[in-house]
């Protein structure tokens, strides 16, 4: 069996833990800090959380409307222009889509690759304007590009390249970005280089990734520099590319190409996903199961695992019980959709 790329190892650990303890909540890392903010979050009626698909703690494989549908570890999300929310159904090795007008869930057909193999362990899905599905998976191919006509492309990557298990849409909407960490040992010296690349197939090499933007490794704090990974990143509308290093620290690549750490004073732990508002003033984070935001530089807790009730309940702010994993922000920025890893459901938070 093909080995997982090391950037997936962290999430593989979560999956194993969850498969052993499906009915148990994963507690937030800083629960004391969270509790002090509960009253603030719960006072806002704009933070209403609703489960739109899946039945909390019922793990399975079924299409249907709302609670009739069943998932088994939903991961990545993507909103399409035609009113669908695409969902990676990880353990079921499927891509599902939800028609948001009635919350009906159907399974998307993913044809076999040219070598006859079927997709296994999908993690991220992004939908192009023409309906092409761009998927990052565990195996047998890391990248799957499924065209509307049913043809499948599975481009490889350079031997030294480790691709991040993330794929993000450029603000222009015309293409996607991928992250890459290249590792080499030369004369006994281990080195790493990091890039953001456009998600295109290089015609000259047949591998994925073109037009690299260099992330200056020397700008990464020394304690993280020797061995690091990029599990998530986000290209902001302000030209800034936000990058998560080693799950916990936020960096930015400015439009001028300067790579530096940001928000050093905010205590962050496991960052699973982030999205930004169009004016770039608000950054939403799925962190340790919680949903947080950094608005005009001010950090706010919005919702997270309920300190008392671990039953996947809906509610307002901290009155709900959630474990947010991957985020998708609606075009009008009124709604934040997220996959709930604990309950195996798809949910939304009303922002406005």
């Amino acid at each position: 069996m093909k080995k997982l790329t090391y950037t997936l190892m962290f999430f593989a650990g979560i999956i194993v833990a969850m498969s052993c303890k499906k009915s148990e909540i994963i507690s937030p890392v800083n629960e004391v800090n969270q509790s002090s903010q509960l009253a603030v979050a719960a006072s806002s009626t704009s933070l209403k959380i609703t489960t739109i698909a899946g039945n909390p703690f019922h793990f399975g494989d079924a299409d249907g409307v709302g609670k009739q549908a069943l998932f088994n570890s939903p991961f990545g999300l993507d909103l399409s222009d035609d009113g669908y929310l695409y969902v990676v159904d990880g353990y079921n090795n499927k891509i599902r889509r939800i028609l948001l007008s009635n919350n009906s869930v159907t399974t998307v057909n993913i044809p076999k690759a040219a070598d006859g193999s079927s997709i296994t362990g999908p993690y991220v899905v992004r939908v192009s304007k023409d309906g092409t599905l761009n998927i990052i998976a565990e195996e047998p191919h890391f990248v799957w590009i499924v065209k509307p006509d049913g043809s499948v492309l599975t481009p490889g990557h350079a031997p030294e390249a480790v691709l991040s298990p993330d794929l993000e849409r450029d603000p222009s909407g015309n293409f996607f970005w991928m992250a890459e960490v290249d590792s080499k040992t030369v004369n006994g010296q281990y080195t790493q280089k990091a890039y953001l690349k456009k998600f295109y197939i290089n015609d000259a090499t047949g591998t994925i990734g073109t037009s690299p933007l260099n992330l200056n490794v020397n700008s990464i704090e020394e304690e993280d520099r020797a061995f690091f990974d990029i599990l998530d990143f986000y290209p902001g509308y302000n030209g800034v590319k936000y990058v998560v290093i080693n799950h916990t620290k936020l960096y930015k690549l400015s439009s001028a190409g300067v790579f530096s750490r940001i928000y050093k004073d905010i205590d962050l732990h496991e960052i699973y996903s982030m999205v930004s508002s169009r004016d770039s003033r608000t950054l939403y984070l799925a962190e340790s199961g919680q949903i947080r935001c950094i608005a005009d530089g001010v950090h706010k807790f919005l919702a997270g695992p309920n300190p008392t009730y671990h039953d996947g309940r809906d509610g307002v702010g901290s009155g709900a019980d959630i474990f947010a994993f991957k985020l998708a922000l609606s075009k009008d920025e009124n709604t934040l959709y997220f996959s709930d890893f604990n309950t195996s459901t798809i949910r939304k938070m009303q922002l406005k």
Side-chain angles (χ1 to χ4, degrees):
M1 179 181 290
K2 182 179 177 182
K3 286 185 72 175
L4 276 173
T5 308
Y6 83 89
T7 49
L8 283 174
M9 291 297 186
F10 169 70
F11 293 108
I14 293 179
I15 294 169
V16 170
M18 289 305 298
S19 65
C20 296
K21 300 182 179 181
K22 287 289 188 181
S23 62
E24 295 183 17
I25 191 76
I26 297 178
S27 298
V29 176
N30 51 348
E31 189 166 316
V32 174
N33 219 18
Q34 174 194 8
S35 298
S36 66
Q37 303 175 71
L38 293 181
V40 176
S43 65
S44 174
T45 56
S46 66
L47 301 181
K48 182 180 180 181
I49 293 170
T50 306
T51 301
I52 65 171
N55 196 348
F57 299 108
H58 289 73
F59 306 90
D61 181 3
D63 290 341
V65 178
K67 287 188 175 181
Q68 295 174 352
L70 295 177
F71 302 87
N72 200 347
S73 298
F75 294 148
L77 305 172
D78 195 30
L79 286 160
S80 64
D81 292 337
D82 56 356
Y84 284 94
L85 178 66
Y86 284 75
V87 179
V88 173
D89 194 355
Y91 272 1
N92 288 327
N93 300 317
K94 292 182 176 181
I95 305 298
R96 319 284 289 280
R97 67 178 190 174
I98 304 171
L99 180 60
L100 294 175
S101 60
N102 63 4
N103 295 335
S104 61
V105 179
T106 54
T107 299
V108 179
N109 178 46
I110 304 297
K112 292 184 178 181
D115 60 5
S117 60
S118 299
I119 195 168
T120 301
Y123 182 74
V124 172
V125 62
R126 296 292 177 194
V127 187
S128 300
K129 287 183 177 180
D130 66 355
T132 296
L133 300 183
N134 305 279
I135 305 168
I136 291 180
E138 175 185 335
E139 57 183 26
H141 306 286
F142 194 73
V143 174
W144 293 67
I145 300 174
V146 183
K147 298 289 187 178
D149 63 5
S151 59
V152 178
L153 304 176
T154 54
H157 51 84
E160 70 275 9
V162 176
L163 304 186
S164 167
D166 195 13
L167 188 63
E168 295 292 344
R169 180 177 282 103
D170 185 78
S172 69
N174 296 324
F175 63 92
F176 301 94
W177 290 96
M178 54 183 283
E180 178 182 310
V181 178
D182 293 353
S183 305
K184 290 183 179 180
T185 300
V186 180
N187 298 325
Q189 184 70 34
Y190 179 83
T191 61
Q192 287 186 289
K193 295 182 179 180
Y195 307 94
L196 294 181
K197 293 185 175 183
K198 291 184 178 180
F199 189 77
Y200 287 128
I201 299 175
N202 188 320
D203 292 333
T205 63
T207 58
I208 197 75
T210 64
S211 307
L213 299 178
N214 179 58
L215 305 179
N216 185 0
V217 172
N218 292 326
S219 298
I220 298 175
E221 294 183 346
E222 190 172 357
E223 61 183 358
D224 299 315
R225 196 180 305 156
F227 298 94
F228 68 90
D229 55 35
I230 299 173
L231 290 177
D232 196 76
F233 66 96
Y234 188 81
Y237 293 88
N238 56 356
V240 172
K241 312 294 191 297
Y242 299 95
V243 179
V244 179
I245 297 293
N246 289 350
H247 329 305
T248 60
K249 296 176 182 176
L250 275 174
Y251 285 73
K252 73 174 183 180
L253 178 68
S254 72
S255 56
V258 178
F259 190 56
S260 59
R261 190 180 171 194
I262 56 175
Y263 303 126
K264 294 182 181 181
D265 58 330
I266 299 177
D267 185 25
L268 299 171
H269 295 272
E270 305 297 346
I271 302 172
Y272 305 136
S273 180
M274 57 184 164
V275 294
S276 167
S277 60
R278 285 183 175 271
D279 63 10
S280 301
R281 295 175 59 182
T282 303
L283 188 65
Y284 296 97
L285 302 173
E287 187 264 350
S288 301
Q290 305 170 68
I291 296 179
R292 301 169 175 244
C293 75
I294 301 173
D296 292 326
V298 178
H299 169 236
K300 299 177 182 179
F301 166 87
L302 300 181
N306 190 293
T308 304
Y309 301 102
H310 306 321
D311 54 6
R313 63 179 55 198
D314 291 339
V316 175
S318 57
D321 177 48
I322 73 168
F323 192 91
F325 196 53
K326 288 295 183 179
L327 305 175
L329 183 63
S330 64
K331 188 174 290 187
D332 61 10
E333 301 188 3
N334 289 336
T335 308
L336 191 65
Y337 296 92
F338 62 95
S339 53
D340 189 310
F341 196 80
N342 239 24
T343 61
S344 231
T345 57
I346 306 301
R347 311 175 78 175
K348 69 178 182 180
M349 170 185 281
Q350 203 67 33
L351 297 175
K352 301 175 183 178

